[in-house]
Amino acid sequence: MSASRSEARVGVWLIGARGSVATTVVAGCAALTAGLHPPTGLVTETPLFAGSGLPALSALVFGGHDTVDCPLPKRAETLAAQGVLPPGLPAAVETELAAADGEIRPGGPLPGDSRDTDELVSAFAADIHDFVRRNRLARAVVVNVASTEPAPTGPGLPASSLYAAAALRAGCPYVNFTPSTGLHHPALAPAAQSSGLPYAGRDGKTGQTLLRAVLGPMFTQRALAVRAWSGTNLLGGGDGAALADPAAAAAKNAGKERVLADTLGTVPEGEVHIDDVPALGDWKTAWDHIAFDGFLGARMILQTIWQGCDSALAAPLVLDLARILARAHEAGLSGPVGELGFYFKDPMGESPAGLSEQYAALTGLAARLRAPATEGPRPTAGGAHGADDAGESR
């Protein structure tokens, strides 16, 4: 790949752009670009993706939608006070945070919004189109990192699906890093299939479920019978508040349970409980209790405790996914990118369930991206060679 292509500016449009994850993504990318910190946690910065033609971290331009108005520099200061960001980092990357904050547009729908579905989708798509045009971007990737929403119950599209539809209409690859509906809504299936765009999701696998994707295959491969698998999550922050809603928690837990069903071949007894503990802020404790049978019926127990910072775990994955999807779009890939199941609890497309097999699939994708694109680079609608009408569906 020529220097001009590898250094082309690429947009990352974040849904929930003023949340903890998005703020950590923007601040973290700026810190890595400036050489202030090493790229710990970024798989795309390992030898696996060497020569795959991913956009450089320095080429990423951030914007997004949100329904809150706390500026990113202020949000970063709060995260630093909580120990999520390193001390002094918000001040060191204040210029980059302010630039990204200037690209954030009001989301919705908010109470009292009288716009219908098509008007909302068109407005969101126009925001993305304008972002690409003004910043002279080669393309943009839309990533949903907003708080988890309950599963839809009415006839209309939930907010996450409105944003997903806007991504399609703007001609942008789409990543759903949340358990929310997004592109999974059946009303969006025809548009997704005909868009010619690559997309991936859903629900980023950052902590407890990452561990389950490793331990589940271990029990199966060693022919150990799992009798019960229970878990508890203690977390605060915006995610904790959102998941205090039983409907939202159910959407989150579905992915955790699916990993066990897929790796064990059965659903063991036990449930996952999520408790909102506001004092924990962005930090989370996840505990699992696994009851299993060994040789001659010997009953045994494995317990795990995972204590971590959700935003610090999620941010490098978001950067990975944005870079990979941008390159996949450039290379002419379309449809669900199942090889990205390595990153998700509930992967779209064909994906194995165990982490080692998912990593092998990711390795294959990295090799595909190293091959020269047969159709040449594909522009995002509204990009250097894209459509002029943001309202046109692809």
Side-chain angles (χ1 to χ4, degrees):
M1 174 172 292
S2 68
S4 60
R5 288 177 64 196
S6 64
E7 295 172 5
R9 285 155 57 88
V10 170
V12 181
W13 188 262
L14 300 165
I15 309 304
R18 291 193 172 111
S20 296
V21 173
T23 305
T24 307
V25 166
V26 176
C29 186
L32 299 184
T33 299
L36 301 177
H37 290 271
T40 305
L42 267 77
V43 179
T44 51
E45 287 294 300
T46 67
L48 175 63
F49 278 94
S52 292
L54 305 184
L57 290 169
S58 58
L60 301 183
V61 180
F62 296 95
H65 282 118
D66 209 319
T67 56
V68 301
D69 56 8
C70 178
L72 281 181
K74 183 66 175 178
R75 181 69 174 141
E77 290 174 4
T78 300
L79 292 177
Q82 295 173 350
V84 177
L85 297 179
L89 182 61
V93 297
E94 183 177 7
T95 298
E96 291 85 350
L97 288 167
D101 192 71
E103 296 289 353
I104 298 174
R105 299 294 178 264
L110 294 171
D113 195 328
S114 60
R115 291 174 292 179
D116 62 23
T117 294
D118 189 66
E119 289 172 328
L120 286 163
V121 172
S122 293
F124 296 155
D127 289 336
I128 301 169
H129 182 295
D130 183 59
F131 169 69
V132 171
R133 179 187 56 79
R134 285 185 299 97
N135 289 284
R136 302 180 65 83
L137 306 177
R139 67 198 76 252
V141 179
V142 176
V143 186
N144 182 13
V145 289
S147 296
T148 301
E149 66 185 12
T153 56
L157 293 180
S160 65
S161 297
L162 294 173
Y163 292 121
L168 298 180
R169 189 168 294 189
C172 295
Y174 171 80
V175 179
N176 187 1
F177 201 75
T178 80
S180 301
T181 304
L183 277 184
H184 273 70
H185 198 287
L188 298 185
Q193 292 168 4
S194 63
S195 68
L197 297 165
Y199 47 88
R202 66 182 167 172
D203 200 3
K205 186 164 56 190
T206 58
Q208 183 181 44
T209 311
L210 176 67
L211 192 58
R212 287 180 168 209
V214 175
L215 294 177
M218 177 195 75
F219 286 109
T220 299
Q221 292 162 5
R222 293 297 296 267
L224 298 170
V226 175
R227 292 183 290 109
W229 198 316
S230 301
T232 294
N233 280 259
L234 307 177
L235 71 161
D239 229 16
L243 294 173
D245 179 344
K252 185 78 171 178
N253 286 337
K256 294 177 180 289
E257 294 168 357
R258 188 173 294 106
V259 169
L260 295 184
D262 291 345
T263 57
L264 298 175
T266 184
V267 180
E269 294 181 7
E271 297 179 346
V272 176
H273 298 276
I274 300 177
D275 294 328
D276 178 25
V277 185
L280 294 180
D282 205 52
W283 296 83
K284 179 172 73 173
T285 296
W287 170 72
D288 271 20
H289 183 281
I290 308 160
F292 65 100
D293 290 345
F295 190 54
L296 303 179
R299 295 203 158 185
M300 292 175 271
I301 298 292
L302 172 65
Q303 296 186 58
T304 66
I305 298 177
W306 179 293
Q307 294 178 302
C309 173
D310 253 4
S311 297
L313 290 165
L317 308 188
V318 172
L319 289 170
D320 277 352
L321 288 162
R323 300 173 78 193
I324 295 170
L325 259 291
R327 173 64 182 125
H329 183 231
E330 179 187 43
L333 275 62
S334 63
V337 185
E339 296 96 329
L340 293 177
F342 177 76
Y343 291 96
F344 297 105
K345 297 180 181 71
D346 184 16
M348 301 179 75
E350 296 296 324
S351 174
L355 194 70
S356 61
E357 292 82 4
Q358 290 175 338
Y359 185 77
L362 185 66
T363 299
L365 176 62
R368 288 175 66 193
L369 296 181
R370 278 192 288 273
T374 57
E375 300 178 3
R378 297 187 52 190
T380 292
H385 306 288
D388 291 328
D389 184 357
E392 285 294 322
S393 297
R394 291 202 46 170

